[in-house]
Amino acid sequence: MSIKDGMNYAPKGKPQPVVQPGDFVFAATALDHGHIYGMCNGLIEAGATLKWVYDPDPQKIEQFVKQYPQVKVAPSLEAILNDDAVKLVAGAAIPCERCALGLKAMDGGKDYFTDKAPLTTLDQLAAAKAKAAATRRKYAVYYSERLHVESAVFAGQLVCDGAIGRVIQTLGMGPHREGTGRPDWFYVKKHFGGILCDIGSHQIEQFLFYTGNHEAQVVAAQTNNFAHPQYPEFEDFGDAILKGKNGASGYFRCDWFTPTGLSTWGDGRLTLLGTEGYIEIRKYIDITRQEQDVVYLVNKEGEFRYPVAGKVGFPFFGELILDCLNRTENAMTQEHAFKAAELCVRAQMLANGVQE
């Protein structure tokens, strides 16, 4: 795991298995984004058995097998889909190709677990919704900045416990480091979907979760290319304002301007304003103490600092496994996953002046 490189940032936690070996078999494919490693780590730590991997690029396969030597290399995606033992297909395809892969997986009788952003157009959203309804398969999404971050998990527990009352506003900052060696598709908008659709997806999903909204609208959105004239389609800055059906509001900013002097790939933070206090989540670094996963809480009881790295775990993955086995929705509802995806696309469309 590299803390300097966001594309290959793959958290590892303590094993918290919810099933026995072999009880939940999954396969990995479409290794275009390094998030596939975080997705697989989380599932394996929760007890899942990684059986197959497939990608047309032998170099990606070689790197993957080094990380997971127990995996078997499948000759094709069809071989995975034809294996009745496989319950779930995990993929981190190029963003514009994630929906098509999901449709194939669901048609093959598998639940689907994709990297964010799970899709890039409203047409893809409609196709994914229709396929999920027709097949009753899951289209789960790796919104990692909440699901695979212990401070974000802990903050969610504080909110559920009523530590700050009702959350009425979120303020999110999602800076990322561009680094070197990005693939060509990273700079082409039709492939990555735009900055608000791509890395903005984390912020939008968090707004819905922490404010308890099932419906919301994008009030304002903008993007820009400040420092990449060589890539005219690339957006290195974006921000947006959201309003939930329950009245809560949210603002977020995402960018590709993490300075080289920062010891991690991005100083991601989230502030939650409640009716009875506020929480600040310093996810990847608290620059005052060079510490990861720190939560600050201020409420009527006082001021509190919680360093939670290694103390909370990542319950999403175990819940997802059990949801797939039991056909429940405890990890994340399908409605929530699709609503976040929809708002990401709508924010991007608004910023780019695109009409439906």
Side-chain angles (χ1 to χ4, degrees):
M1 180 180 76
S2 172
I3 63 171
K4 298 280 285 186
D5 178 5
M7 185 164 180
N8 295 306
Y9 182 74
K12 290 184 178 180
K14 298 176 182 178
Q16 296 177 303
V18 298
V19 291
Q20 296 299 313
D23 286 350
F24 186 83
V25 175
F26 78 102
T29 189
L31 313 180
D32 295 287
H33 197 293
H35 281 172
I36 189 65
Y37 292 93
M39 298 161 70
C40 290
N41 289 347
L43 289 169
I44 292 170
E45 288 162 8
T49 300
L50 174 60
K51 182 176 181 180
W52 295 108
V53 63
Y54 171 73
D55 191 281
D57 185 339
Q59 290 185 331
K60 290 188 176 73
I61 289 289
E62 182 181 3
Q63 180 182 351
F64 190 88
V65 172
K66 286 181 181 179
Q67 184 70 25
Y68 307 105
Q70 76 276 22
V71 74
K72 294 191 287 187
V73 178
S76 64
L77 175 61
E78 287 67 30
I80 290 173
L81 299 182
N82 290 332
D83 184 349
D84 292 338
V86 174
K87 305 295 184 185
L88 177 142
V89 173
I94 296 171
C96 67
E97 298 175 359
R98 288 171 184 168
C99 180
L101 175 60
L103 302 184
K104 287 183 180 180
M106 291 188 289
D107 274 338
K110 316 302 183 187
D111 289 316
Y112 179 52
F113 183 33
T114 178
D115 189 17
K116 64 76 222 163
L119 43 85
T120 57
T121 70
L122 293 179
D123 286 344
Q124 290 177 1
L125 175 65
K129 283 184 172 181
K131 189 64 69 177
T135 63
R136 298 189 179 275
R137 296 292 98 190
K138 295 184 182 295
Y139 194 112
V141 185
Y142 182 58
Y143 291 113
S144 58
E145 289 189 21
R146 180 176 67 84
L147 305 174
H148 221 168
V149 174
E150 287 184 289
S151 51
V153 174
F154 182 69
Q157 295 170 355
L158 289 176
V159 169
C160 290
D161 290 342
I164 60 171
R166 176 189 167 197
V167 178
I168 57 174
Q169 203 251 1
T170 64
L171 175 62
M173 291 183 288
H176 285 59
R177 175 174 286 133
E178 179 185 357
T180 59
R182 294 279 180 173
D184 292 342
W185 61 259
F186 178 77
Y187 299 100
V188 181
K189 184 174 288 188
K190 71 176 182 179
H191 291 158
F192 73 91
I195 191 170
L196 298 179
C197 182
D198 181 18
I199 57 177
S201 60
H202 293 296
Q203 304 295 327
I204 291 174
E205 189 276 333
Q206 289 173 105
F207 165 77
L208 292 173
F209 174 77
Y210 289 113
T211 63
N213 270 292
H214 300 289
E215 292 287 344
Q217 61 180 327
V218 183
V219 177
Q222 62 179 343
T223 61
N224 214 322
N225 182 338
F226 286 109
H228 292 77
Q230 72 276 36
Y231 301 116
E233 294 185 23
F234 188 62
E235 297 165 337
D236 51 28
F237 177 90
D239 64 358
I241 298 172
L242 308 170
K243 183 178 180 180
K245 188 175 182 179
N246 67 8
S249 64
Y251 168 82
F252 71 87
R253 181 207 83 214
C254 45
D255 65 78
W256 292 99
F257 291 112
T258 292
T260 56
L262 189 72
S263 59
T264 187
W265 58 267
D267 187 2
R269 301 190 189 189
L270 181 67
T271 299
L272 310 175
L273 175 63
T275 54
E276 299 176 23
Y278 64 90
I279 292 170
E280 182 184 350
I281 309 165
R282 299 190 181 184
K283 299 179 181 179
Y284 309 110
I285 187 170
D286 182 346
I287 58 173
T288 65
R289 306 193 192 185
Q290 295 292 302
E291 193 172 2
Q292 185 175 341
D293 280 310
V294 175
V295 176
Y296 289 91
L297 165 66
V298 182
N299 61 13
K300 61 184 178 181
E301 304 297 331
E303 305 164 353
F304 305 92
R305 183 182 189 273
Y306 299 99
V308 298
K311 300 177 181 178
V312 180
F314 308 112
F316 168 81
F317 299 95
E319 292 171 351
L320 176 61
I321 289 170
L322 295 177
D323 281 346
C324 292
L325 292 174
N326 302 325
R327 311 320 296 171
T328 50
E329 286 193 318
N330 295 314
M332 179 184 296
T333 68
Q334 190 65 77
E335 177 190 27
H336 177 89
F338 281 149
K339 179 54 65 174
E342 175 191 340
L343 292 172
C344 297
V345 174
R346 292 192 183 280
Q348 192 68 52
M349 292 171 64
L350 181 60
N352 297 148
V354 177
Q355 301 296 320
E356 286 190 41

